[in-house]
Amino acid sequence: MSLSRVALACWVAGLLSASPALAADGVIEINQARADAGGVTPGDAPGYPVTLSRPGSYLLTSSLLVASPNLTAIEITSDDVSIDLNGFKLVGPATCTGFGASLACAPAGSGAGIFANARDGISVRNGFVGRFPSGGVILFQVESCVVEDVTLQWNGRALQVGGSCTLSGLIVDRNAGEGIFSFTNDASAQDSVIDDTVLRESVLSRNRGEGVFTTSSAGRDRFQIERTAIYGNGRTGADLRTEGGLRDSAVYGNAQGGIRLGVNSPDPDSGLLRGNAVGSNAYGFALDPGHVGYTHNNVTGNTNASSGGVQIGPNVCGGDLICP
Amino acid sequence: MYARALQAMFRAAILAAVATAPAPTHAGDGAIEINQTCAVMTGCDDADSPGFPVTIYAGRHVLTSDLATSDPSQTAIQVNGALVWLDLQGFTISGPTSCTSPGPACSPTGSGSGIVTVSSGYTTIVNGTVRGFGSDGIAVNNNCRVQGVLVTENGRHGLATGLGCVVRGVRAVRNGSNGIVTGANGVLAHNLADGNGAAGMRGEQGSVFVDNTSDGNGAEGIGGYVGGNVVNDNHARGNALYGIRASAGAIVEGNTVADNGALGLFLNGQAGYGFNVIRPSATVPGSTTVSAGAQNLGDNLCNGVTTCP
């Protein structure tokens, strides 16, 4: 082999390694080797974070292990990005002890599993994101997102979303902040006039903060929880400072209360609680007195009395059909 | 000279790679493969010895063939690490047990399960069949996710989970004991339990049962134990004992309950029920609608009338 031929081979190999790894179906692969090498998308430097600067479909083909508490695993800087974790893990360096209010994690840091700021159309599916000191999946002011079949454990805040998102099949356990935090900025360019986010068929458990906490700059957005178990969180199970509601959900054993809806909200919020079991919390519910209705719930065995809301149908409250 | 040096380096690199990574086998997408050949001949994962059980640790694993054992006390896959994602990819894990209705009667029974976790949890199992084990089909720890799996003809439970699990799209058919039994605070949605020896589905406090079907089981169709369960929008028919059983603090709504052997709804006095349609069996003595003392929230239809029980 001549020296010039070797040089040509090396040049070709270099070109190949710098271009995105494409699966046969056009999906762009992300794995530890490509994270180390960089070039997953234009502008992606070697090491962390893996920067996704182009719309498209991305597939993990190995787990990503991040040793520094201040590094993020994947940063999304484009709209319309879909990440299939493909059963793999994004893992940071934090470890935690305890549960709920007594949960303690170390080290602290600014790293997240997945981070996006003010983007549209982000999807994250099928895997585990854990042990990132700042947060697991932080979709800050991201509109129109989908997060499903993801397990989030031992992060700071587990999951943050903007508005108009669909969240389902999540297991959110033992995170140091809120399980799910939703904040919509009604002045942002991405914001819809009215956002509706739905959380379904998930378990939010033993987080140090609230199971779910929602707020918005103007209070006109909505967060609906359905068919979900919320238990053992260190603060309130669901604290919705937006429009919203809970249906067919069990809210059990949360340290500071079961459900708050429309309390301490920027403006009056309407909502509906129907078909829920709310028990063994500090209190069952605390509701906006004029705009939140409740019916067909069982609110039994909480330490303190529920308050607020309008009873629009029968409920079970400690064996009494009249609540509170 | 230069080319010879490159060849030597190339050869050394290949040898090093071969020496350090003979097993496990990685699928094209980086997952660790499990199949009958590696299970029996070489071991499938790091530190897994040849023979059953296949012992797996952290990471993503995929079945690339059916797995079969012939000993009812032999477990097929044992999960020893946390954070395992196991995709059965449509394949079947099978043992030697078969179960025949009614009952069902299962034989031979033993201590083996299809999949067992002995780890600290966070296991996901999806997309396949677990059939014919002497004990449980799948026994999995806390904070699990089990979706799109058929568990059938296992000697004990079809699926047994710890607390805080999400169980969706599971079909539990003709297992010796419960079809699906979960710990506290789980979510069970869109599942089917049919012809199991004990309950179709059982869960403990704070569990959510929604949009399930539970028919022809040996005890209750759906049972919420301890307290604070949600049992909404399910169907329970032809179960030997109750259609739905629920404890204090439960809410039971929107269910269709018919032809069960005892009460359609067997509820604690501090459980509430509404919007249910309950029809006792016309042929089974003792088949009735709702236990006295439960909190009637209205809009129920009990044996053709709106007065319940």
Side-chain angles (χ1 to χ4, degrees), chain B residues 22-25 33 35-45 47-51:
Chain B
T25 302
E33 296 184 9
N35 52 56
Q36 185 77 10
T37 301
C38 71
V40 174
M41 303 294 290
T42 63
C44 297
D45 198 352
D48 175 42
S49 301

Side-chain angles (χ1 to χ4, degrees), chain B residues 230-305:
Chain B
V230 173
V231 190
N232 293 353
D233 302 325
N234 303 283
H235 306 274
R237 184 173 183 184
N239 299 287
L241 198 54
Y242 316 116
I244 292 171
R245 173 178 182 158
S247 302
I251 191 79
V252 179
E253 286 211 331
N255 302 286
T256 304
V257 181
D259 298 327
N260 297 286
L263 289 157
L265 302 182
F266 176 51
L267 306 180
N268 177 278
Q270 290 194 352
Y273 65 102
F275 298 109
N276 301 286
V277 175
I278 308 143
R279 189 190 74 205
S281 169
T283 59
V284 178
S287 177
T288 57
T289 56
V290 183
S291 47
Q295 305 297 318
N296 186 343
L297 303 178
D299 301 306
N300 298 284
L301 182 63
C302 287
N303 200 19
V305 298

Side-chain angles (χ1 to χ4, degrees), chain B residues 50-107:
Chain B
F52 289 107
V54 174
T55 304
I56 62 177
Y57 299 88
R60 179 173 187 255
H61 296 72
V62 297
L63 253 68
T64 54
S65 81
D66 292 337
L67 293 184
T69 70
S70 57
D71 180 350
S73 293
Q74 182 66 68
T75 289
I77 296 178
Q78 179 171 310
V79 180
N80 274 6
L83 316 179
V84 165
W85 187 291
L86 176 57
D87 188 343
L88 305 180
Q89 295 208 119
F91 290 106
T92 296
I93 304 173
S94 63
T97 301
S98 62
C99 304
T100 55
S101 297
C106 299
S107 178

Side-chain angles (χ1 to χ4, degrees), chain B residues 120-164:
Chain B
S120 57
Y122 307 100
T123 300
T124 294
I125 301 169
V126 297
N127 301 333
T129 298
V130 180
R131 176 192 299 274
F133 285 86
S135 183
D136 301 329
I138 299 174
V140 59
N141 272 350
N142 298 343
N143 304 109
C144 66
R145 179 184 294 105
V146 184
Q147 297 183 161
V149 174
L150 167 63
V151 284
T152 183
E153 298 196 48
N154 299 289
R156 202 167 74 132
H157 309 310
L159 168 63
T161 83
L163 59 81

Side-chain angles (χ1 to χ4, degrees), chain A residues 66-85:
Chain A
V66 180
S68 167
N70 295 314
L71 287 177
T72 289
I74 297 175
E75 181 166 354
I76 301 167
T77 61
S78 170
D79 295 339
D80 302 321
V81 166
S82 176
I83 302 174
D84 186 345
L85 300 175

